Amino acid sequence: YNTGKGINHQGFPVKDMCSGIDSIFGEDKESAIYSVIHSRTLEGDPGLKLLKKKAHTSGCDREAALEMRPDYIKSILEPLGMMKFPIVFIADGQNPDVLKRLMADPEIGPLIRIVPEEACWIGGDLTLGVMSNVFIGNPASSFTSFIAKARLALGFGHNYLFRAKDENGKWRTVCGDHCIFDRSIMGVQA
């Protein structure tokens, strides 16, 4: 457990793995109920190509996990009763339009929580994702994959990575938690 005390192998001070959770929930972190959206663009066109490849092998939508549009997010959170709890947004910062769209939505916007800059780092974001009640990510991202695998190893459900619209236009999970470990879908990320 890394509490931010000591130095790393290069002699630099280590950071607290719970810095993200602490910055958002403070004393209430033990009982916090929240979702995490991990928005990962993956450097534009390469990310789009990688997600399309995952879509081809898994059946998920070719762009939804990159765009994270409000209807996509609500299709996950509403049935779970999670639209009354905070939604923590973690991202690579490459596509600010994703956050702008979510913030502009009258139902999602008030729930969005952004990790303060001083607490925003890979370890803090990782812990936020792993410990969330619901995790929504991009299956083309190795960071999303790592979070989903860690959550599954800890026995946590509610990972949403592989979704597509059905014939009635409703969002559905098309490939379950096992897909994150399937080499035919994830390739070297499995």
Side-chain angles (χ1 to χ4, degrees):
Y1 180 70
N2 187 345
T3 60
K5 294 181 178 132
I7 57 173
N8 67 16
H9 69 284
Q10 296 173 322
F12 295 109
V14 294
K15 294 184 178 181
D16 186 339
M17 290 294 288
C18 292
S19 59
I21 291 175
D22 289 343
S23 71
I24 293 175
F25 300 108
E27 304 262 332
D28 297 327
K29 70 180 177 185
E30 303 272 334
S31 60
I33 298 172
Y34 67 100
S35 302
V36 164
I37 297 171
H38 177 232
S39 174
R40 183 75 169 98
T41 304
L42 300 161
E43 292 73 43
D45 285 340
L48 192 57
K49 287 177 186 173
L50 189 54
L51 183 56
K52 285 181 180 179
K53 184 176 179 183
K54 303 282 188 241
H56 177 73
T57 56
S58 73
C60 72
D61 189 270
R62 297 163 56 106
E63 296 178 358
L66 284 170
E67 296 176 346
M68 297 287 181
R69 294 193 177 272
D71 70 309
Y72 180 77
I73 301 303
K74 289 178 197 176
S75 76
I76 296 166
L77 299 181
E78 283 177 346
L80 299 172
M82 292 296 289
M83 286 296 295
K84 56 187 170 193
F85 298 103
I87 302 169
V88 179
F89 185 83
I90 59 176
D92 61 9
Q94 292 181 3
N95 188 354
D97 291 340
V98 173
L99 181 58
K100 286 178 189 172
R101 271 194 302 271
L102 294 173
M103 294 293 287
D105 184 86
E107 294 171 278
I108 294 176
L111 300 174
I112 294 288
R113 303 293 182 273
I114 307 297
V115 181
E117 191 173 325
E118 66 275 4
C120 189
W121 69 290
I122 193 168
D125 287 358
L126 175 74
T127 304
L128 275 163
V130 169
M131 299 308 294
S132 64
N133 298 84
V134 177
F135 178 69
I136 304 168
N138 178 348
S141 164
S142 58
F143 192 64
T144 283
S145 299
F146 185 85
I147 291 172
K149 288 175 186 175
R151 289 174 51 77
L152 291 169
L154 293 169
F156 299 162
H158 300 297
N159 296 305
Y160 295 91
L161 282 66
F162 303 97
R163 306 216 3 122
K165 286 188 175 178
D166 64 17
E167 61 279 351
N168 298 317
K170 301 224 184 241
W171 287 105
R172 301 277 185 240
T173 295
V174 295
C175 202
D177 286 337
H178 69 282
C179 293
I180 205 72
F181 298 103
D182 188 328
R183 274 200 176 283
S184 68
I185 294 167
M186 297 302 293
V188 296
Q189 288 178 306

